[in-house]
Amino acid sequence: MRVSKYPMIISFSLFFLNTSAQNSDLLSGKIVDEENKSMPYVNLKIGSSIASMTNADGDFSLRIPAGTTGQLIISYIGYQTLYTPIQQLTNPITIKMKSVVSQLQEVKISALNGEAIIRKAMRNITQNYPVTAFESTGFYREIARIDDNYLSFAEASLQILNPGYQRVKEKNRIIINKERNLKKVGDRIVENPFHAAVKGVPYIVLANDLLKNPGSIFGERYISRYNYTIAGYTAVDGEEAYIIKFDQKTGVKEALYQGSVIVIKKSFAVASIEISYSDKGRRFAKSDISFVQRPLLMLLGYHFQKTNELLSLRYTMNGDKWYPYFYKIATTHQVEAKKQKIAGELLVSAELFVRPESAVKSNFAKKNIMPENYSFQHGVERYADQYWKDFDYIKPDHNFKGLIDKQAPGKDK
């Protein structure tokens, strides 16, 4: 995806309480829909300083400081927003969300088509999103694995200074609060056959905010290469919204994308973006191996075939502006190396959950900033949730948890 000097895809040249909640500092639970199916990436918050989200399996953990009052607010596109007083929460808890799509008022036929809605949403960015710098606290996770064999598993708590949605050429700044890179996942050694590290990926993730860097999706040069349709209507925090589906046009001979965008009807704010490779252009996809490194890997007997790219962006209303709260990028390749006896699907992914702070409080002086070529190398022996006892974090999915449950008893440092 061509969105900025940072590619969306992680380059392989760099690769490689059994008590009530009010008496506890940790609330754990699960969010499900009306059919008891897990709901991933649901937003949870208390006020403006306490927030979390569910993982891919609908599970969550939310740290609640002693003495906190107010309501737990749970929101997800297309579902009724829930407001629950903290005193009524039990731990652990399962929360069921109810779809509101069927409750929407009849929508009048709009004179706008899908492309016109996207163009207006892009024009309204500085009206709907903060134009001055804001600080966010974030939890970051990056993973590389071939099938179930992990090449890398890194996590970090971050402070992020986002320059806002007007100064799009100004870079984000990142401070690391705490980090770790696992040496073992369960009983398996984390081993990277490519013998190199992923570098600077949090900056790549942030640079793929399509409302700042529209690139080959919503960029002026590309927007006409897609077909946009109004696929339906939904609700976001009680506001009606368009569901816009898009796909690259037939005959466009390059690897472009398909996906969906949720756009608020009244303000034309974008609430979410989901994209993946279009089937029409998949055969034009190129691997993420750099031109310089490609001959070397060929000599070593590695063969890569890219099969997909994924990007997910979510935004939430805070005050009178919309702020990003979730980014995820991923790429998959089929990889084969006969000499090394490697064959399988290589997944490289990075996800970042953020919550905005009320003001810029951290010292983002140059000496404190994470370098753009930084890789998370603080190795720990094994996974333990307690590592993040002072920070917000997102639970790993069941696939990962199933592996780490096999590890020997003990805590990482």
Side-chain angles (χ1 to χ4, degrees):
M1 180 186 302
R2 295 166 290 281
V3 294
S4 69
K5 72 174 223 177
Y6 298 105
M8 167 184 155
I9 302 307
I10 302 167
S11 171
F12 291 105
S13 63
L14 303 176
F15 184 87
F16 327 68
L17 304 225
N18 296 326
T19 63
S20 62
Q22 61 266 31
N23 296 324
S24 174
D25 65 348
L26 182 66
L27 174 69
S28 296
K30 189 177 190 68
I31 308 293
V32 299
D33 64 13
E34 295 160 291
E35 297 180 350
N36 290 319
K37 294 181 180 178
S38 301
M39 294 183 62
Y41 311 128
V42 175
N43 194 19
L44 305 96
K45 65 180 180 179
I46 300 172
S48 60
S49 60
I50 303 171
S52 187
M53 68 181 297
T54 59
N55 65 8
D57 303 308
D59 300 320
F60 72 90
S61 289
L62 181 66
R63 299 192 182 280
I64 305 177
T68 299
T69 59
Q71 295 179 315
L72 172 63
I73 303 174
I74 305 173
S75 59
Y76 192 77
I77 293 170
Y79 287 79
Q80 180 181 348
T81 299
L82 301 180
Y83 301 84
T84 305
I86 294 175
Q87 292 75 15
Q88 295 180 13
L89 297 171
T90 57
N91 198 18
I93 189 169
T94 297
I95 299 171
K96 183 174 292 189
M97 300 195 74
K98 185 176 181 181
S99 171
V100 296
V101 175
S102 61
Q103 299 175 2
L104 290 177
Q105 297 178 357
E106 184 177 351
V107 180
K108 294 181 180 179
I109 300 299
S110 173
L112 296 173
N113 59 28
E115 182 176 329
I117 291 170
I118 294 297
R119 287 185 180 274
K120 189 163 184 177
M122 300 305 290
R123 290 196 300 269
N124 284 14
I125 287 173
T126 55
Q127 298 176 33
N128 290 319
Y129 304 84
V131 296
T132 56
F134 60 95
E135 180 176 353
S136 296
T137 298
F139 178 78
Y140 172 79
R141 178 180 288 136
E142 66 181 40
I143 294 172
R145 59 182 171 84
I146 297 178
D147 298 328
D148 286 334
N149 298 305
Y150 281 80
L151 284 61
S152 174
F153 187 102
E155 297 177 324
S157 173
L158 308 172
Q159 296 303 127
I160 301 165
L161 183 64
N162 189 315
Y165 284 79
Q166 194 165 49
R167 297 176 292 178
V168 296
K169 293 184 180 180
E170 191 171 328
K171 297 178 180 179
N172 294 281
R173 300 181 187 181
I174 298 174
I175 297 172
I176 301 171
N177 296 319
K178 193 175 184 180
E179 63 170 288
R180 67 175 171 187
N181 201 325
L182 296 189
K183 296 180 180 179
K184 292 183 70 176
V185 173
D187 56 1
R188 304 179 186 180
I189 300 293
V190 174
E191 192 171 18
N192 184 351
F194 306 104
H195 303 294
V198 178
K199 298 181 180 180
V201 183
Y203 288 111
I204 297 175
V205 172
L206 292 166
N208 276 279
D209 186 336
L210 297 182
L211 301 187
K212 284 188 174 186
N213 302 299
S216 55
I217 307 293
F218 306 133
E220 191 60 37
R221 289 177 50 206
Y222 283 89
I223 200 167
S224 60
R225 303 183 192 186
Y226 292 91
N227 289 316
Y228 297 87
T229 59
I230 302 176
Y233 302 88
T234 187
V236 180
D237 291 339
E239 289 199 65
E240 292 182 351
Y242 298 104
I243 303 173
I244 308 297
K245 299 283 189 180
F246 66 92
D247 196 355
Q248 75 179 76
K249 291 180 177 178
T250 301
V252 176
K253 296 182 179 181
E254 57 184 314
L256 294 182
Y257 304 92
Q258 62 184 352
S260 64
V261 187
I262 305 297
V263 181
I264 304 299
K265 282 189 63 186
K266 185 176 180 180
S267 64
F268 288 87
V270 173
S272 77
I273 303 171
E274 305 285 340
I275 75 164
S276 62
Y277 260 158
S278 169
D279 292 336
K280 296 176 182 178
R282 195 182 300 271
R283 64 191 178 96
F284 300 106
K286 298 178 181 179
S287 70
D288 299 317
I289 305 169
S290 73
F291 177 78
V292 174
Q293 194 173 15
R294 191 176 299 131
L296 175 60
L297 290 176
M298 290 177 65
L299 287 173
L300 292 173
Y302 291 103
H303 173 73
F304 295 88
Q305 177 61 50
K306 185 190 290 186
T307 56
N308 207 359
E309 290 181 7
L310 301 170
L311 172 64
S312 179
L313 301 168
R314 306 285 177 89
Y315 305 85
T316 186
M317 178 71 85
N318 192 344
D320 61 351
K321 298 293 182 182
W322 290 80
Y323 289 78
Y325 80 86
F326 180 63
Y327 310 74
K328 182 174 183 177
I329 62 174
T331 179
T332 55
H333 287 71
Q334 286 297 319
V335 59
E336 183 178 357
K338 293 182 179 180
K339 184 176 180 181
Q340 291 81 3
K341 297 182 179 179
I342 296 174
E345 181 179 78
L346 171 63
L347 168 69
V348 182
S349 71
E351 56 187 14
L352 173 65
F353 166 75
V354 297
R355 58 170 175 81
E357 300 289 353
S358 58
V360 177
K361 301 176 182 178
S362 301
N363 181 4
F364 287 94
K366 185 176 181 180
K367 64 179 181 179
N368 299 327
I369 302 302
M370 185 185 93
E372 291 188 11
N373 64 347
Y374 187 83
S375 61
F376 298 106
Q377 295 296 312
H378 179 68
V380 297
E381 288 297 329
R382 55 176 59 86
Y383 183 91
D385 289 341
Q386 293 87 343
Y387 187 84
W388 299 112
K389 62 182 179 179
D390 297 322
F391 301 95
D392 295 330
Y393 81 105
I394 309 301
K395 284 179 170 289
D397 62 29
H398 286 168
N399 179 68
F400 178 80
K401 289 291 286 183
L403 293 174
I404 64 175
D405 285 346
K406 299 177 182 179
Q407 68 189 21
K411 297 183 179 180
D412 56 357
K413 300 179 180 180

